[in-house]
Amino acid sequence: MPQTVKKHAEERMDKAISALKRDLATLRAGRAAPALLDRIQVEYYGAMTPLNQLANINTPDSRTLMIQPWDKSSLSDIERAIMKSDLGLTPANDGNTIRLVIPALTEERRTELVKLTKKFGEEAKVAIRNIRRDANDDIKKMEKTDISEDESRRHQDDIQKTTDKFIAEVDKVLVAKEKEIMEV
């Protein structure tokens, strides 16, 4: 039974790493990628809808994103949502499509993005530590009925080792993203 707790904790920690990678993909590192727009929600007929469910997003070149809405009436809503976002991009609307030109990053913007990267990393580490706490609580509950105190301690040590491994993985992902952002 403690093996199940450890396996479940490891799966949840792996999901936290995946969520971190998904969040970091939405940060702009100087080149256009459709993932930059993943966090944008558009108010469409009164409901907040992800942009990628309302439009086709292409990258015609390395510095341009082209958004082609399936419903032309949503063009102004999409434009408004992009303006409100924290991307710092100005949409160019030609009546059928929206073009987003990704400017080269300034040093100031790069440092802002690195700070944001670190914030995402801290959130992932907190999530992993919360998973560790939950797993340790489950092991301690088992200690009262199913397992000995020594076994409980050994399982908690294993959970700590798993936590340390995933925290190191978070650090590795952050270093790679920071390097990508600071690359000129």
Side-chain angles (χ1 to χ4, degrees):
M1 203 138 112
Q3 308 302 43
T4 308
V5 170
K6 289 191 289 188
K7 184 175 185 241
H8 182 65
E10 194 166 329
E11 289 170 355
R12 289 177 57 203
M13 288 179 189
D14 197 38
K15 288 179 183 176
I17 297 287
S18 297
L20 172 66
K21 289 178 180 176
R22 196 172 42 254
D23 287 344
L24 291 179
T26 64
L27 293 180
R28 153 169 96 92
R31 58 186 169 270
L36 293 174
L37 304 175
D38 282 352
R39 291 186 298 163
I40 295 191
Q41 297 280 319
V42 178
E43 186 174 340
Y44 185 64
Y45 289 110
M48 296 308 282
T49 309
L51 175 59
N52 59 9
Q53 292 181 10
L54 296 174
N56 191 20
I57 303 169
N58 297 318
T59 52
D61 60 58
S62 66
R63 295 253 184 232
T64 307
L65 283 171
M66 190 167 70
I67 304 165
Q68 295 173 313
W70 294 309
D71 178 7
K72 300 294 183 222
S73 66
S74 67
L75 209 57
S76 61
D77 294 331
I78 292 171
E79 193 173 14
R80 195 173 314 114
I82 292 169
M83 293 293 285
K84 284 184 191 175
S85 73
D86 62 351
L87 289 175
L89 299 174
T90 305
N93 181 346
D94 69 4
N96 291 321
T97 61
I98 295 175
R99 289 187 184 276
L100 294 174
V101 177
I102 312 292
L105 292 175
T106 63
E107 190 65 30
E108 181 181 310
R109 183 67 178 146
R110 287 178 196 278
T111 55
E112 285 177 28
L113 288 174
V114 167
K115 286 179 188 175
L116 193 57
T117 299
K118 289 181 181 181
K119 179 181 156 246
F120 284 142
E122 271 311 306
E123 289 171 359
K125 288 178 182 180
V126 167
I128 289 170
R129 290 181 190 121
N130 287 339
I131 294 165
R132 174 192 61 194
R133 185 196 62 225
D134 294 344
N136 282 339
D137 289 348
D138 290 344
I139 295 291
K140 287 176 186 173
K141 286 178 189 170
M142 286 181 208
E143 183 181 327
K144 294 177 183 172
T145 57
D146 298 338
I147 60 175
S148 70
E149 204 173 306
D150 289 341
E151 281 182 281
S152 171
R153 190 74 214 140
R154 188 173 47 250
H155 291 300
Q156 288 178 39
D157 288 343
D158 289 346
I159 291 169
Q160 182 60 47
K161 288 176 187 169
T162 303
T163 301
D164 293 342
K165 180 181 87 173
F166 279 98
I167 295 286
E169 178 70 19
V170 167
D171 289 335
K172 191 173 89 175
V173 168
L174 290 178
V175 166
K177 185 64 177 184
E178 286 176 29
K179 183 179 176 188
E180 179 185 336
I181 289 171
M182 295 309 284
E183 193 176 281
V184 178

